[in-house]
Amino acid sequence: MSSQHYYLFSWIWTGIAIVLLPILLNITAPYGRHSRLDWGPMIPNRVAWIVMELPSLIMFITFFLLGPNRINIPLLVFFLLYTIHYTHRAIVFPLRTHTSTKLMPLLIACLAIFFNLINGFLNGFFFGSITEGYSLEYLYDIRFILGGIMFVIGMAINFKSDNILLALRNSGKKGYSIPTGGLFKYVSCPNFFGEILEWAGFAIMTWSPAALAFFAWTLVNLLPRALDHHKWYIANFEDYPPERKALIPFIL
Ligand SMILES: NC(=O)c1ccc[n+]([C@@H]2O[C@H](COP(=O)([O-])OP(=O)(O)OC[C@H]3O[C@@H](n4cnc5c(N)ncnc54)[C@H](OP(=O)(O)O)[C@@H]3O)[C@@H](O)[C@H]2O)c1
């Protein structure tokens, strides 16, 4: 794929995400607590997560390493941040969930595989073949430093919040309870807030159309889901803390 075609494809892919946002704000993605039986065939939840997320990791590593670019320190940092996140998301996180009896519509898994194939390709191909490289001085660039700080803070919030959620069922308890601790004091979905912050940081840090597209898609996936989760908590728990926002502390 030529550089020109690559950039065109990236901008179109980002544009699709922006166009989809108002539509997805009106559709509740039917997995997890919103799972429904009328979305066609279902597959086990844990298997779905692994199969959905692995393509992103495989595509990223393949296209990153197969490209002609020589790997220097900035590129190595980008490689490690992406692969650490996705190794956790595709393998560690699904194995830690207490959802072995739950099902997910096959259609949702297929859509996620499609999204992850494109995202993994766009990012891996950018670093492996498209970028003219990042000089060592780029390590002192404000974009690298600020974006890197955002990524690390976002990842820490995402991990901690997911840990709090997973711990709610550690004792064998089934169903849902009101999560507390960490940023749950302020929002219903700090795990999504952390994930969005993470990929916003990656987009700033890498200053690349691929990471910008991924950030746009993350926002489009997680903003509607956070609003749905928040409404669901309010509808299902009479004692749900009224001061808690959905996604962004004090704002939304
Ligand atoms: N980058 C992206 O586009 C993207 C898209 C989707 C997800 N993600 C990330 O993937 C991770 C998982 O996403 P998700 O949508 O599954 O998150 P979620 O709905 O918050 O659920 C996370 C896990 O915690 C459990 N859980 C949630 N709330 C609970 C409660 N109140 N009581 C007991 N257990 C609870 C869920 O069980 P159930 O499954 O039984 O509800 C699930 O195992 C998140 O870190 C998210 O940021 C990223």
Side-chain angles (χ1 to χ4, degrees), residues 33 89 102 158 162 176-177 191 195 221 225 229 233:
R33 77 197 62 191
R89 175 68 66 240
K102 287 204 152 181
N158 178 260
D162 273 341
Y176 295 90
S177 12
N191 50 343
E195 179 109 16
N221 285 331
R225 189 158 171 80
H229 274 23
Y233 276 122

Side-chain angles (χ1 to χ4, degrees), residues 162-209:
D162 273 341
N163 274 341
I164 291 174
L165 290 175
L166 297 182
L168 291 172
R169 292 183 188 149
N170 275 352
S171 57
K173 193 177 168 200
K174 292 195 183 346
Y176 295 90
S177 12
I178 300 177
T180 53
L183 285 188
F184 282 103
K185 182 161 186 240
Y186 304 104
V187 288
S188 296
C189 303
N191 50 343
F192 300 164
F193 173 70
E195 179 109 16
I196 291 167
L197 187 63
E198 218 178 314
W199 296 112
F202 197 68
I204 292 171
M205 186 182 194
T206 63
W207 212 248
S208 72

Side-chain angles (χ1 to χ4, degrees), residues 53 80-94 96-97 150-168 170 179-184 189-199 222:
E53 303 295 322
L80 288 176
L81 293 182
Y82 194 100
T83 50
I84 288 170
H85 175 96
Y86 264 102
T87 304
H88 173 264
R89 175 68 66 240
I91 299 164
V92 181
F93 173 77
R96 293 185 62 219
T97 56
M150 284 169 67
F151 186 95
V152 171
I153 293 176
M155 187 183 238
I157 293 173
N158 178 260
F159 275 26
K160 182 173 167 69
S161 311
D162 273 341
N163 274 341
I164 291 174
L165 290 175
L166 297 182
L168 291 172
N170 275 352
T180 53
L183 285 188
F184 282 103
C189 303
N191 50 343
F192 300 164
F193 173 70
E195 179 109 16
I196 291 167
L197 187 63
E198 218 178 314
W199 296 112
L222 296 183

Side-chain angles (χ1 to χ4, degrees), residues 92-107:
V92 181
F93 173 77
L95 295 178
R96 293 185 62 219
T97 56
H98 305 282
T99 54
S100 51
T101 56
K102 287 204 152 181
L103 298 171
M104 181 188 290
L106 178 62
L107 179 64

